[in-house]
Amino acid sequence: MSVVIETKDLTKTYEAGFFSGQEVHALKNMNLQINTGEIFAYLGPNGSGKTTTIKMMLSLIFPTSGSIEILGRKDIRSSEVKRQIGYLPEGAYYPEFLKGEEVLRFYGQLYGLSGEDLEQRVAKTLDIVSMTYARNRLIRGYSKGMRQRIGLAQALLSDPTILILDEPTTGLDPLARKEMRDILANLRDEGKTLLISSHELQEVELISDRVAIIYRGEMQISGTLTELLTDRDVTIEADSITPAAQAKLEQLNIKAEDITKERSLLHIPSGMSLYDAVEVCKQENINILSVAPRRETLEELFVRTVGDASRAESGKAQPATAAN
Ligand SMILES: Nc1ncnc2c1ncn2[C@@H]1O[C@H](COP(=O)(O)OP(=O)(O)O)[C@@H](O)[C@H]1O
Ligand SMILES: [Mg+2]
């Protein structure tokens, strides 16, 4: 496995006001490694520095300090490197009065494609994003999901090995998200490397191989989902818990939560025997409906991590405990 994008102590400070001399520390000493053929999720709340990082990778803006290597090269402004990167900007906008295929032809020409090559590439990318059926409709009539898919097709025009997608699923409805997710997973399976930024975690959790969570320009936590989402517990869904059962469970340190009037959910912390809880249900004649292992979700990890970071910052108590 080789490293496709590597940042070392990447730092960006913006001048907030020309006269005020104020500075915004958008990114601080960011170290990232994105490997071949993976979906790398770059996560953080709005204003964390995700777009800033991406723009530096694309040489649209320049680091204050630190460095970036792409495909083993330091000269990331060279056309050889740029040709290998497809980019979908955050909130990409295309003229309403153009047809989908016209947008792609326009961008294809910018990439230096023409004639039959151009037409083939346009057809191919429309096919990848399942937009062939709407290729000669105006953007004006496209849904948000269709616009995003045309944006993705545009990013794919030069058949890049790396795709950098800034908030590709933000604002999409559940069906459009699912479609986008499937397309992105397919691209990964074909061997492309994807860097996806997002502040929406449920989507990302379903497809990403590794994640980095940043907050206020600093790395909080990174790794594979299996490494990060380690807190496992087991839940038992049962008929409503009686007060007697409740008391017994409390003694065992098992939390029972009513999910409806007729249903309860028992949380068995990891390391505790499941049989004790089952025994209580048996003694109290409470019907068990299901027993399921439960892993912490990425969203819970995110809230925990970013919560730690913001508390540490506001309280100035300790540095973020989750940082590593
Ligand atoms: N051109 C700019 N000038 C000054 N500050 C900026 C500029 N671009 C971004 N910022 C600030 O840098 C921080 C990070 O922004 P950004 O990278 O867009 O975050 P994200 O993409 O994670 O939402 C924010 O505080 C933002 O206001
Ligand atoms: Mg952004």
Side-chain angles (χ1 to χ4, degrees):
M1 188 163 49
S2 60
V3 178
V4 173
I5 305 179
E6 182 164 33
T7 72
K8 287 195 183 128
D9 292 326
L10 192 63
T11 299
K12 178 71 183 179
T13 306
Y14 292 108
E15 304 280 333
F18 189 75
F19 295 108
S20 68
Q22 271 187 330
E23 292 182 331
V24 178
H25 298 279
L27 203 69
K28 296 172 212 163
N29 299 314
M30 187 59 65
N31 293 298
L32 297 171
Q33 275 195 354
I34 296 141
N35 302 318
T36 319
E38 74 178 359
I39 295 186
F40 184 90
Y42 195 42
L43 308 172
N46 288 328
S48 309
K50 303 182 296 293
T51 300
T52 298
T53 309
I54 287 174
K55 284 184 174 167
M56 287 193 279
M57 288 173 175
L58 295 158
S59 304
L60 297 172
I61 56 172
F62 301 100
T64 306
S65 61
S67 63
I68 306 176
E69 267 186 39
I70 297 179
L71 297 165
R73 299 176 61 147
K74 288 194 194 314
D75 56 339
I76 62 169
R77 295 169 73 174
S78 72
S79 54
E80 285 88 354
V81 173
K82 285 191 168 168
R83 204 176 301 139
Q84 295 302 323
I85 306 175
Y87 170 48
L88 174 62
E90 186 176 9
Y93 170 84
Y94 304 107
E96 300 280 318
F97 54 86
L98 288 184
K99 295 171 180 169
E101 61 180 14
E102 288 172 340
V103 168
L104 297 182
R105 275 196 204 106
F106 173 76
Y107 279 92
Q109 282 162 355
L110 288 185
Y111 289 125
L113 295 168
S114 61
E116 193 50 32
D117 278 354
L118 175 63
E119 283 313 308
Q120 272 179 13
R121 214 42 225 157
V122 168
K124 174 78 185 155
T125 56
L126 283 164
D127 180 48
I128 294 172
V129 301
S130 308
M131 282 289 286
T132 307
Y133 76 101
R135 62 180 294 168
N136 49 26
R137 290 195 215 156
L138 297 181
I139 299 284
R140 189 166 53 208
Y142 280 8
S143 67
K144 182 100 205 276
M146 293 163 84
R147 288 167 194 239
Q148 275 304 72
R149 281 188 280 149
I150 283 293
L152 184 58
Q154 170 267 310
L156 286 164
L157 278 168
S158 64
D159 196 18
T161 56
I162 305 169
L163 275 171
I164 298 184
L165 313 173
D166 201 354
E167 309 263 2
T169 59
T170 297
L172 302 189
D173 66 42
L175 192 63
R177 282 159 190 277
K178 166 86 172 101
E179 285 167 353
M180 183 58 100
R181 202 167 70 217
D182 290 347
I183 297 167
L184 298 180
N186 278 338
L187 290 166
R188 184 252 325 264
D189 295 344
E190 283 167 17
K192 297 205 189 293
T193 304
L194 285 81
L195 169 63
I196 303 179
S197 91
S198 182
H199 64 266
E200 294 179 342
L201 307 173
Q202 278 152 343
E203 291 308 303
V204 170
E205 179 169 7
L206 293 166
I207 49 167
S208 52
D209 302 298
R210 281 195 315 127
V211 307
I213 297 183
I214 68 166
Y215 181 65
R216 299 215 176 157
E218 288 179 282
M219 177 71 85
Q220 303 299 322
I221 196 164
S222 71
T224 64
L225 289 178
T226 345
E227 282 163 8
L228 297 180
L229 306 178
T230 48
D231 279 7
R232 284 159 203 274
D233 56 10
V234 176
T235 57
I236 297 180
E237 196 183 347
D239 283 350
S240 222
I241 293 294
T242 58
Q246 179 86 34
K248 285 184 181 177
L249 290 169
E250 264 170 28
Q251 283 196 334
L252 294 167
N253 251 332
I254 294 170
K255 260 200 306 189
E257 164 196 13
D258 293 332
I259 42 177
T260 66
K261 275 191 179 143
E262 290 92 36
R263 299 269 169 93
S264 295
L265 204 59
L266 313 186
H267 297 273
I268 324 294
S270 55
M272 183 179 280
S273 164
L274 181 62
Y275 292 114
D276 293 341
V278 172
E279 189 56 35
V280 172
C281 293
K282 198 172 151 197
Q283 286 166 5
E284 300 296 325
N285 263 327
I286 293 163
N287 200 22
I288 292 180
L289 303 164
S290 72
V291 177
R294 212 185 77 84
R295 188 170 84 160
E296 185 179 40
T297 65
L298 191 53
E299 192 154 75
E300 285 162 341
L301 173 75
F302 179 80
V303 169
R304 191 156 59 81
T305 310
V306 169
D308 281 353
S310 67
R311 269 192 300 279
E313 191 162 89
S314 57
K316 289 276 175 255
Q318 278 166 355
T321 48
N324 61 5

